[in-house]
Amino acid sequence: MEKEKLSILKKDGVSYLLPFILVTSCFALWGFANDITNPMVKAFSKIFRMSVTDGTLVQVAFYGGYFCMAFPAAMFIRKYSYKKGIMMGLALYAIGAFLFFPAKMSGSYYPFLIAYFILTCGLSFLETSSNPYILSMGSEETATRRLNLAQSFNPIGSLCGMYVAMNFIQNRLNPLSSEERALLPKEEFQALKDADLGVLISPYLAIGIVILIVLFLFVITKMPHNGDENTSINFVPTIKRIFKRKHYREGVIAQFFYVGAQIMCWTFIIQYGTRYFMSTGMDEKSAEVLSQQYNIAAMVIFCCSRFICTWFLRFINAGHLLRILACAAMVFTLGVIFFQNIFGMYCLVAISACMSLMFPTIYGIALERMGDDAKFGAAGLIMAILGGSVLPPIQASIIDQVEVFNMPAVNVSFILPLICFVVVFIYGHRVYNRIFTE
């Protein structure tokens, strides 16, 4: 197994093991940022006494940064290099994290959104650089497997983010509910809000320091120049050329819906679990903590499944495995919608096993045989992360209805992830049947 891993990290007899390890660390770092952020929808809603829909502005700012910075990042990488693109991403990541301190001092919600936006502009640089850089670190035949291997470390960072969110933020926030906070006098509410914001920003300041250390390691480490020779931008001709490829164009669409499904399933597992556990007589604080534990269990399953599915790719066509997992995800999502007991929660956790392979596999398939155009192709796929910004507020607006069709609105809201998995299934089916033409 060890020889197999090393063989996919060689090209023309040159080993890329050390650069691979360093770039792969970035996958864990943006996984941390993603999954410390998902529970913040609930936290900000409580701290600022907002609706769930208003709380999802966190996700709009977070994934909006990915969308806005993807093509500027691609042009920067094309002009300079993958390494400098990663360094720029780390710098913006650190700046966004440190901006949480002045945001806390302002006592307002919107400066936090600005901090999230800048932070994710950095993540956009990181993902636009790191994914195609990993694809270039070896032969084209093993590129998708190599990317899946690197992406396997992303959920490790996600687990760390979830652990920090639960133990260093959620468990330390004042347990008063939004309704109870609304009854407090203005001075007491302000003092409570300031204390909770102080709890919330500490992990972001800590990760900012970690990012600076990683940035320093990139500064002092010599990295390969794969695909860095062509520095001409030729933006419009390149965009026209890459969007003529069906497997790329449809891959961007599939990625949009996949990311939307992932963020919805992970963001609203807290609301889904809290509603169910409170219906059994549990208080809100305990219900939230227990729901977060299920969220961590989902991420552990996601992480293990990523390694398992990467191994399966040695024997199964990527498109075929993608459609199998999408089909299973659809079945589990139906369980989330129609079960109104603990089995619905189990189904929601099980969806993570199905999602594990989707992002890197869609990414790898879409960028096949692109060569240097992969820099701009990567940007389009990173822009597709906008699905994580557009779709969750729609689901939140359904959840705010409380009840729909005589069913809990949070259950009905998972119709949106179901639709997303249908789109991913169609893409996997089309890839497997090789109906694409260049």
Side-chain angles (χ1 to χ4, degrees), residues 242-254 366 427:
I242 64 176
F243 274 97
K244 284 181 180 178
R245 297 171 176 258
K246 281 189 177 181
H247 72 277
Y248 173 77
R249 187 171 65 242
E250 296 184 14
V252 171
I253 296 170
Y427 183 67

Side-chain angles (χ1 to χ4, degrees), residues 251-304:
V252 171
I253 296 170
Q255 201 73 291
F256 175 91
F257 283 98
Y258 163 69
V259 174
Q262 175 186 292
I263 301 308
M264 287 187 285
C265 289
W266 287 348
T267 297
F268 297 114
I269 192 172
I270 306 296
Q271 279 78 6
Y272 188 93
T274 299
R275 185 211 67 81
Y276 166 67
F277 292 122
M278 287 181 67
S279 72
T280 65
M282 192 177 293
D283 64 272
E284 183 179 9
K285 178 71 174 181
S286 299
E288 287 180 7
V289 171
L290 185 55
S291 299
Q292 182 64 7
Q293 291 173 354
Y294 273 90
N295 202 7
I296 290 176
M299 185 54 63
V300 171
I301 291 171
F302 181 90
C303 184
C304 294

Side-chain angles (χ1 to χ4, degrees), residues 312-387:
F312 274 129
L313 279 175
R314 297 172 60 189
F315 315 104
I316 303 176
N317 173 274
H320 185 41
L321 190 54
L322 186 63
R323 69 177 183 176
I324 290 172
L325 293 173
C327 186
M330 289 156 57
V331 172
F332 285 128
T333 307
L334 288 171
V336 174
I337 295 169
F338 291 107
F339 286 129
Q340 296 185 32
N341 51 35
I342 193 63
F343 292 107
M345 198 67 183
Y346 292 159
C347 287
L348 186 48
V349 170
I351 290 173
S352 289
C354 307
M355 294 194 297
S356 63
L357 188 80
M358 292 181 181
F359 183 94
T361 302
I362 295 170
Y363 200 106
I365 292 169
L367 293 186
E368 278 182 0
R369 301 183 302 279
M370 274 205 172
D372 199 48
D373 284 346
K375 293 175 182 176
F376 283 100
L381 289 161
I382 296 305
M383 288 182 73
I385 291 176
L386 183 68

